[in-house]
Amino acid sequence: MTTTAPVRRVRRRRMPRDLPRFLLLCVLAIIFLAPVYWMISTSFKTEADAISLPVQWIPSRPTLDNYREVLTSPDGNILRWTGNSLYVALAFTVLHVALCALTAYPLARMRFPGRNAWFWFILSSLMIPGIVTLIPTYIMMLNFNWINSYHALIWPGLSGVFGVFLLRQFFMGIPRELEEAARLDGANSLQILWRIILPLSIPSLATLAVFAFMGSWNNFLWPLFTVTDVDKMTLPVGITTFSQRYVTEYGKLMAATTLAAVPALIAYLLAQRFLESGLSTTGLKE
Amino acid sequence: MTITQAPARTTTAPAPTPRRRVPLEPYLYLLPHAVLFFLFTVYPIGYGLYISLHRWDLLNPVKTFVGSEFYRNLFTPGTPQADFFWKTLWNTTFFTIVSVPLLLIAALGLALLLHRPIFGRTFFRAVFFMPGILTVSVMGILWRWMFDNQIGLVNAARMVLASAPPIPWLSTEGLAWVPIVVGTVWWTVGFNMTLYLAALGNVPVSLYEAASLDGATPWQSLRFITIPLLAPVTLFVFVTTALASFQLFGQSLLITNGGPSRSTQSVIQYITEEGFTNAQYSSAAAMGFAFGLIMLIFTAAQFGLMARDVKGDEG
């Protein structure tokens, strides 16, 4: 941290007044972390220790048995589910960002009849609650023979329009001079999109990509019903089958949930700044 | 492009005036998304309406038209559809009423605690935000266990701290909401906190300095400066949190499985049960529309509220 000397002096002087606030934050942080600590700690306990009272904060006989059993369980393969989730989320993210960029581009930078009408038409779909299309889309999946296939997890969500809105807002802010200069140099619209608009929009494309990935990765309701084949399940759905099976075997259950949480935790640590700043700007910028 | 230009050149005398022609290009860009939009957003709405007006049986190719029967069922006391639909709709509403104020106040409280510089601020921010990135199933399994009737951490803590007997949280009507609400607040408060922190960063410091020169207490500064200036964010957080709360599904499914005796079942869980477990697609589609309509009215009212607020800011 590059705090300058005066700031540091002010901060030090303030410290005693800030102490109650600091202690309160510590207590809250402990409360927030306790469930996660408990999950991880229990995943290393033997079954007997997991349910023993008084509570064992630190496993007395740490063991990796839970992880070994969960990873080799014949009831489902966590690594396979993780791979499925990764595949689906990556495919969705790439397609979604590409589609949104292609759609937002003319809506932001070209003049043509019906531009505003189309924009408001698709935007109005944000008002339609997802539950309305749940059953019909499911029956469409049956008709397409897409139940238990990755297609069901990828394609329907690509019709979403929030990303179009987000990118359109950003594209509109790009100076027109750059585009005109490129056009004089003989660039066509696709080249302008690829060479000028997109490189300048990397922050907003990345924000959209992070949200698309997280959304797909954490999707639960739809994959729960469209994928029932254990080998095709995504991680959030697969992990619940463990919870139904190991309902009283807490060590194993917590090893499974810990494994399920790890990818998200790693992603969060890598993308923390993006995620939080993306959230606070996408939400509030009008 | 050249094809469309060719005939233009051959027509009449040299006409340097720019011709107004409809360009094809923008529509080509719009096409891929438009296809998916019609297929997976527009069409399912009409298809769903069709399903809800017919008796939809997967095995029977003949779909009999039954009109509004499945909608009328929802208003016919005594049918399970009417009983459970309204019961679970009330459950969802109850959850929203309880959780939204908590998620607003707790988020504002955390943001106020973290707004001014303090040792470890980045760490605390991360700690409060982090649960939100967990998938709902991890969160659900974790909190079901935290509130386990016998050996959950909450009961264990009660035993150790107050030598109180364990409470059967998950199987007591009314109490079963506690793990769901507590888990949800733990899970999502960090998102709202982040929005509040961003907004607090925009409040001019000079206002507080002026207020403190006038002898305002910290409480008065909060009451008369911070909270009014945060009103637009509060409205935004309120709208998004309320809409998300009405989508309650995974938390109650995984923590209590809607029990005991459907007292925590969400309306979405009931609709999926009717559709996917009972294979009553028409009935479930009708309920989807009914709930969707209620949500739509609710959403429109909230968007109206937001629009009015935005206008008020400008005027």
Side-chain angles (χ1 to χ4, degrees), chain B residues 51-231:
Chain B
I51 291 167
S52 73
L53 298 174
H54 292 71
R55 190 178 298 282
W56 203 272
D57 185 341
L58 287 182
L59 302 176
N60 187 348
V62 182
K63 320 291 185 194
T64 326
F65 179 76
V66 294
S68 62
E69 183 189 317
F70 290 108
Y71 293 93
R72 274 182 282 123
N73 274 348
L74 298 180
F75 297 95
T76 312
T79 62
Q81 284 80 8
D83 290 354
F84 297 148
F85 179 75
W86 296 107
K87 182 183 168 72
T88 55
L89 183 61
W90 162 246
N91 291 344
T92 305
T93 311
F94 175 80
F95 170 78
T96 306
I97 293 170
V98 173
S99 68
V100 170
L102 283 176
L103 283 166
L104 278 170
I105 294 164
L108 179 59
L110 289 176
L112 287 172
L113 281 173
L114 281 175
H115 170 51
R116 280 181 295 127
I118 195 158
F119 180 75
R121 184 162 83 158
T122 315
F123 169 76
F124 288 123
R125 276 182 71 136
V127 166
F128 300 137
F129 187 83
M130 186 236 358
I133 56 139
L134 297 175
T135 167
V136 68
S137 24
V138 169
M139 171 268 176
I141 293 168
L142 189 53
W143 282 93
R144 193 184 71 207
W145 188 44
M146 290 288 289
F147 278 89
D148 184 281
N149 288 351
Q150 261 79 49
I151 53 96
L153 192 60
V154 175
N155 278 331
R158 278 170 48 82
M159 191 110 91
V160 172
L161 297 176
S163 38
I167 294 176
W169 299 98
L170 303 181
S171 51
T172 310
E173 240 176 87
L175 284 184
W177 279 111
V178 175
I180 297 169
V181 171
V182 171
T184 302
V185 170
W186 176 81
W187 188 41
T188 56
V189 76
F191 282 101
N192 292 351
M193 174 197 76
T194 305
L195 294 174
Y196 268 127
L197 276 172
L200 280 169
N202 292 332
V203 176
V205 183
S206 56
L207 284 177
Y208 294 107
E209 283 163 358
S212 85
L213 283 178
D214 290 343
T217 63
W219 168 250
Q220 284 172 322
S221 290
L222 178 69
R223 171 75 186 77
F224 295 109
I225 300 175
T226 313
I227 291 179
L229 283 178
L230 290 182

Side-chain angles (χ1 to χ4, degrees), chain A:
Chain A
M1 286 297 169
T2 54
T3 42
T4 51
V7 174
R8 197 175 288 161
R9 208 178 307 132
V10 168
R11 197 181 284 179
R12 192 169 298 161
R13 204 188 57 215
R14 253 202 224 149
M15 205 49 199
R17 214 188 70 193
D18 281 342
L19 195 62
R21 185 158 68 103
F22 180 73
L23 292 177
L24 183 56
L25 281 167
C26 287
V27 171
L28 289 169
I30 290 170
I31 294 173
F32 265 74
L33 287 174
V36 174
Y37 172 79
W38 192 239
M39 169 175 87
I40 297 169
S41 142
T42 304
S43 70
F44 292 109
K45 291 179 194 166
T46 61
E47 277 318 319
D49 285 355
I51 57 167
S52 77
L53 285 174
V55 167
Q56 284 188 6
W57 285 107
I58 299 163
S60 64
R61 290 166 290 171
T63 169
L64 287 172
D65 284 355
N66 294 320
Y67 286 96
R68 198 171 300 131
E69 285 199 42
V70 160
L71 283 171
T72 58
S73 161
D75 301 321
N77 186 333
I78 289 193
L79 297 177
R80 162 114 208 173
W81 293 332
T82 309
N84 290 344
S85 277
L86 207 58
Y87 174 77
V88 167
L90 278 176
F92 176 79
T93 304
V94 170
L95 289 169
H96 186 60
V97 173
L99 273 172
C100 287
L102 282 180
T103 311
Y105 176 47
L107 291 176
R109 322 259 339 165
M110 293 179 186
R111 289 162 162 275
F112 56 93
R115 180 179 75 160
N116 287 328
W118 179 251
F119 177 65
W120 288 108
F121 176 62
I122 62 172
L123 202 66
S124 67
S125 73
L126 286 176
M127 300 275 284
I128 308 290
I131 191 75
V132 167
T133 52
L134 178 72
I135 300 288
T137 313
Y138 179 83
I139 293 180
M140 286 169 73
M141 296 299 109
L142 285 171
N143 293 340
F144 290 4
N145 216 358
W146 276 5
I147 297 295
N148 279 322
S149 91
Y150 298 132
H151 292 309
L153 303 182
I154 294 170
W155 293 102
L158 290 172
S159 63
V161 298
F162 180 73
V164 174
F165 173 71
L166 187 79
L167 294 184
R168 174 183 172 269
Q169 300 303 96
F170 195 90
F171 289 175
M172 287 201 308
I174 293 171
R176 209 159 269 284
E177 291 78 27
L178 293 170
E179 196 179 328
E180 277 158 10
R183 213 172 270 284
L184 285 178
D185 289 344
N188 63 34
S189 69
L190 202 59
Q191 286 166 327
I192 288 169
L193 174 64
W194 186 249
R195 299 246 173 88
I196 295 178
I197 307 280
L198 292 184
L200 288 172
S201 312
I202 285 175
S204 63
L205 293 172
T207 302
L208 178 60
V210 168
F211 280 108
F213 188 87
M214 293 293 283
S216 175
W217 181 272
N218 286 332
N219 204 358
F220 179 65
L221 190 155
W222 180 247
L224 181 67
F225 296 109
T226 46
V227 177
T228 50
D229 178 351
V230 174
D231 280 342
K232 295 272 176 54
M233 281 178 181
T234 55
L235 193 57
V237 177
I239 217 73
T240 62
T241 66
F242 265 134
S243 103
Q244 284 148 17
R245 212 168 291 269
Y246 297 119
V247 69
T248 54
E249 293 174 81
Y250 290 106
K252 279 178 209 142
L253 197 51
M254 291 301 125
T257 48
T258 304
L259 285 172
V262 164
L265 287 173
I266 292 173
Y268 171 64
L269 291 176
L270 293 176
Q272 181 190 348
R273 233 160 266 254
F274 249 166
L275 210 69
E276 291 191 35
S277 67
L279 175 69
S280 47
T281 49
T282 50
L284 295 174
K285 212 165 68 183
E286 285 274 357

